[in-house]
Amino acid sequence: MKLSVKFSICVAFLMLILIFGCGYEGVRHEPQPPSIIVYNVPPDSSIMGNAPILAWKGFDKDGRIIRYEYIDIPKSKCSNIDLYEKYYRGEVEIPDSVELETGRFIRWMSTYREGDTIYLSLEHGEDITEHLFCVRSIDTSDAEISLYSIPECRIYYRTNQPPDSCVIVRESLAFTERDTIWMLYDITYEWQGVELTWRAHDPDNSVILEYNWWVENFDDSTVIARTSLADDSTLGSIFAGFDSTDGWVRSEKTILKNIPTGHWRFIIQVRDDAFYTGAADTLEFYCVKPAFDPSETTIYDDMYKRKFNYKMLLIYVGSTLPGGWDDRIPGFYENILNTVKNDPGINLEYDTLLIKSFSAVTLPINKYYLKDYSIIYIIHKKGPLDLGLTKESIEEVYKYALIGGRVIFEGNGILRWAGSLFTELKLLLLFGLINEEEGSGLLNWAQATNSDFTDMHVDTSKAGYNAENDYYYIRNINAVATYPSSFGIPYSERIFRAGYYEGVDTLATLPNLIYRTIVTRWASYGFRSAYSAFLSFYMDNSDGSVTDNYVELFYFLTGGFEREVEEEEES
């Protein structure tokens, strides 16, 4: 037979197979249910003091496992004990929901995981509670019909001892018990809220501990300022509790914010994985919310739009010793400030306070006193002996600035007792200062380094005089070193330096201040500040130059920043 004939016969045979074979389906098999095993679990009838972590695995011959379901039935709650026993023996199929004696229902829990923590409860009034735990797998076959496996069941018994300690970690607090702290509506760049942490112990070594806390008024416990339910840093995350709506969370810390001015107590309690409440702890504190809270949207926007009404506390500091004060000082500054507050771009009113001391000055101020003042202006006259503000007073002003207060320090010797505040970077964050240079010198005139400001010369009627070299001066001035940044936020800017004058080189025993920084301003995200190493009182204001400089300085000081969100929208 020719090769071509053989090839034709083969082709015809194949075509017959295709034509008559396409409708043949063979023997159809019914979809088979999946199976399931539990492994690495406590044996049946085990007694446990904490919630077990149970693992399981499903198998399917003709499809794939798509999910699992498990159910936990406390025997003492079941409305039909006979059915309970039959569920365990597999004689009766467990329905989608099992009725309890209270009329409520327990339903199968669905999960895609091959294991979970099973919160076996210890029912109240019982020393031990029996639980029926069952798990089953669900598959999908080629026919897209979901089938359930025969449940794998275990009987477990739960005992429990409640947590025996819950302690607020006081050594990590930024304040002491019954202290007074600043409080804002929300966190800012400088103020990160009030962080509290805690720890607890459970004698049963519960897998998970949950905490419930609240802040209540010390004098009226019905007034609740904040609770763990409202803590958006924990709810809806891995720190959410078993029930994300009941206020119990798993985080061991929180950030307090938005608590009104008053006397409060923070109360925290712990519960274990049997949902038994154990030990508790309490922390008493006072908090003060300032009237200039920059985290409040309306206040922030008013500052940016120059609609905010600033209230300033002007504090004069002088010595009780002869020559330690000049009664002309208040009149000099208040004449200038009366001009400043009438500027259309500056909304300002102020109160004054005079403090005289023999030694380092502790400011008679506290948070309750400062909460209504959005600016603190301290004018410090150096006396025959060193005055300066105490380190504690400067730290109080530093904390005030971090919550949005504006600050001006003016006068030589004001930082005499600052000490470690430089190395702790607190003066950097307050004024942009790195250090105050050692040794003081003479100042003849202040040279403006910013075109918005005007040079200032000493007032010959108030200054010292060097007859040999024919110049007037202010003595005991310490230059400062500033943060090396003049753009972006935060930024530091030198606005005056010591000017050059003839004869300075003959003063070999005094530091040369020529061209050294003596006035600087600082802009951070939530506040602004300024520092001057000398008193403007000693400068000649006959031409209004000093007044003009103060108008410019307060225009800067009372300004605000546009929100980043608005900038992004514009771009």
Side-chain angles (χ1 to χ4, degrees):
M1 185 179 292
K2 293 183 178 181
L3 182 61
S4 60
V5 175
K6 292 181 179 180
F7 178 77
S8 298
I9 293 173
C10 289
V11 170
F13 181 72
L14 289 173
M15 290 180 65
L16 289 173
I17 292 175
L18 291 174
I19 293 172
F20 294 102
C22 288
Y24 179 76
E25 296 182 356
V27 179
R28 292 185 60 86
H29 297 280
E30 292 297 321
Q32 299 298 306
S35 60
I36 191 170
I37 61 170
V38 293
Y39 62 96
N40 291 339
V41 300
D44 198 16
S45 301
S46 293
I47 300 175
M48 289 170 287
N50 54 33
I53 299 176
L54 305 182
W56 48 80
K57 178 70 176 178
F59 302 92
D60 189 54
K61 296 178 179 180
D62 54 5
R64 60 187 178 86
I65 302 298
I66 58 173
R67 60 188 173 90
Y68 300 93
E69 290 182 348
Y70 64 82
I71 192 169
D72 168 30
I73 308 172
K75 183 176 182 179
S76 59
K77 280 189 172 183
C78 190
S79 60
N80 191 321
I81 301 301
D82 183 54
L83 275 178
Y84 176 92
E85 300 290 348
K86 291 180 178 179
Y87 294 156
Y88 173 60
R89 295 192 297 268
E91 298 173 0
V92 175
E93 181 180 352
I94 302 175
D96 290 337
S97 59
V98 176
E99 185 175 6
L100 304 179
E101 60 181 5
T102 60
R104 301 180 65 183
F105 291 86
I106 292 179
R107 293 177 171 81
W108 289 86
M109 299 287 293
S110 180
T111 182
Y112 296 101
R113 296 182 295 183
E114 295 182 341
D116 209 343
T117 301
I118 308 302
Y119 295 92
L120 305 176
S121 62
L122 176 65
E123 299 302 317
H124 288 278
E126 298 181 357
D127 295 326
I128 188 168
T129 298
E130 180 181 328
H131 288 259
L132 172 61
F133 171 79
C134 298
V135 60
R136 62 190 182 186
S137 60
I138 299 97
D139 77 348
T140 179
S141 67
D142 293 338
E144 297 184 355
I145 299 174
S146 293
L147 297 178
Y148 292 79
S149 70
I150 297 174
E152 187 77 14
C153 296
R154 298 287 188 277
I155 292 289
Y156 291 126
Y157 297 90
R158 178 65 191 264
T159 61
N160 189 64
Q161 298 180 68
D164 53 11
S165 72
C166 181
V167 179
I168 299 169
V169 184
R170 284 165 170 77
E171 54 267 29
S172 68
L173 293 176
F175 61 97
T176 59
E177 184 99 16
R178 301 180 183 84
D179 199 0
T180 302
I181 56 178
W182 286 113
M183 185 64 59
L184 299 184
Y185 172 77
D186 204 351
I187 62 174
T188 65
Y189 178 82
E190 293 87 4
W191 187 80
Q192 296 297 307
V194 179
E195 182 175 282
L196 299 179
T197 61
W198 50 82
R199 57 175 178 261
H201 176 263
D202 179 52
D204 293 318
N205 293 320
S206 289
V207 175
I208 292 173
L209 295 177
E210 295 185 349
Y211 304 91
N212 183 36
W213 59 261
W214 64 96
V215 179
E216 68 179 33
N217 187 273
F218 188 85
D219 301 311
D220 184 357
S221 60
T222 63
V223 178
I224 306 297
R226 192 170 181 83
T227 72
S228 50
L229 183 61
D231 195 338
D232 55 6
S233 68
T234 57
L235 295 184
S237 71
I238 60 173
F239 296 115
F242 179 78
D243 181 349
S244 62
T245 64
D246 65 357
W248 288 89
V249 295
R250 295 174 185 173
S251 175
E252 294 185 341
K253 70 177 182 178
T254 190
I255 302 294
L256 294 185
K257 57 185 179 179
N258 194 26
I259 299 175
T261 299
H263 187 186
W264 303 93
R265 63 161 64 94
F266 176 87
I267 302 175
I268 184 168
Q269 55 186 181
V270 59
R271 74 178 182 185
D272 57 21
D273 53 26
F275 309 109
Y276 265 62
T277 301
D281 198 6
T282 301
L283 177 69
E284 180 185 350
F285 64 95
Y286 299 81
C287 71
V288 177
K289 191 173 185 298
F292 50 88
D293 182 352
S295 68
E296 293 270 8
T297 300
T298 55
I299 294 176
Y300 189 102
D301 291 342
D302 282 350
M303 288 178 174
Y304 170 66
K305 297 174 183 177
R306 296 194 172 276
K307 295 180 179 180
F308 185 75
N309 295 317
Y310 287 89
K311 186 176 181 181
M312 181 172 72
L313 177 61
L314 174 58
I315 304 176
Y316 300 107
V317 177
S319 173
T320 56
L321 296 174
W325 183 246
D326 191 321
D327 290 333
R328 296 174 295 175
I329 290 177
F332 176 84
Y333 286 98
E334 288 163 33
N335 285 335
I336 292 175
L337 290 173
N338 289 336
T339 301
V340 169
K341 72 178 187 178
N342 290 326
D343 187 271
I346 301 172
N347 302 308
L348 179 69
E349 59 178 288
Y350 65 91
D351 295 327
T352 62
L353 178 65
L354 173 60
I355 303 171
K356 291 185 179 181
S357 176
F358 176 77
S359 58
V361 177
T362 298
L363 297 176
I365 56 177
N366 57 48
K367 294 178 178 66
Y368 286 98
Y369 186 74
L370 293 178
K371 67 182 179 66
D372 295 321
Y373 293 104
S374 44
I375 303 176
I376 295 178
Y377 185 2
I378 298 177
I379 295 174
H380 173 274
K381 184 183 184 305
K382 184 179 176 68
L385 298 178
D386 284 333
L387 281 179
L389 300 182
T390 61
K391 180 181 177 182
E392 292 73 22
S393 289
I394 299 175
E395 283 190 295
E396 192 66 39
V397 175
Y398 164 75
K399 294 175 184 177
Y400 164 86
L402 294 186
I403 53 99
R406 314 294 169 104
V407 179
I408 307 175
F409 274 13
E410 179 178 327
N412 46 338
I414 195 170
L415 300 178
R416 173 68 177 80
W417 307 106
S420 63
L421 295 182
F422 279 108
T423 56
E424 294 170 9
L425 304 183
K426 291 180 179 178
L427 286 173
L428 172 64
L429 298 175
L430 178 55
F431 293 115
L433 300 183
I434 297 175
N435 62 59
E436 183 180 53
E437 297 184 9
E438 294 184 3
S440 59
L442 304 182
L443 176 65
N444 176 258
W445 65 292
Q447 181 181 10
T449 55
N450 181 298
S451 59
D452 294 330
F453 292 87
T454 305
D455 296 343
M456 295 186 291
H457 297 265
V458 296
D459 187 335
T460 58
S461 67
K462 302 174 184 175
Y465 178 64
N466 184 301
E468 179 184 354
N469 295 288
D470 189 26
Y471 63 80
Y472 292 87
Y473 61 86
I474 310 171
R475 68 169 63 249
N476 299 323
I477 307 301
N478 293 83
V480 292
T482 61
Y483 178 72
S485 174
S486 58
F487 58 91
I489 301 174
Y491 74 85
S492 174
E493 181 185 8
R494 178 174 69 169
I495 55 179
F496 284 96
R497 66 182 184 177
Y500 176 83
Y501 56 96
E502 295 294 335
V504 64
D505 293 334
T506 65
L507 303 174
T509 60
L510 296 175
N512 188 346
L513 295 182
I514 301 306
Y515 305 141
R516 311 299 279 274
T517 301
I518 52 176
V519 182
T520 182
R521 63 182 181 182
W522 171 257
S524 189
Y525 289 90
F527 74 95
R528 297 183 175 193
S529 64
Y531 175 83
S532 174
F534 66 94
L535 289 183
S536 297
F537 167 74
Y538 291 105
M539 293 296 173
D540 182 8
N541 193 32
S542 60
D543 59 354
S545 58
V546 178
T547 299
D548 291 342
N549 286 334
Y550 272 88
V551 171
E552 187 63 35
L553 179 62
F554 272 87
Y555 194 83
F556 160 80
L557 199 72
T558 57
F561 298 107
E562 186 174 7
R563 291 186 180 276
E564 294 183 5
V565 173
E566 296 177 358
E567 293 175 351
E568 291 174 1
E569 289 175 353
E570 292 176 359
S571 61

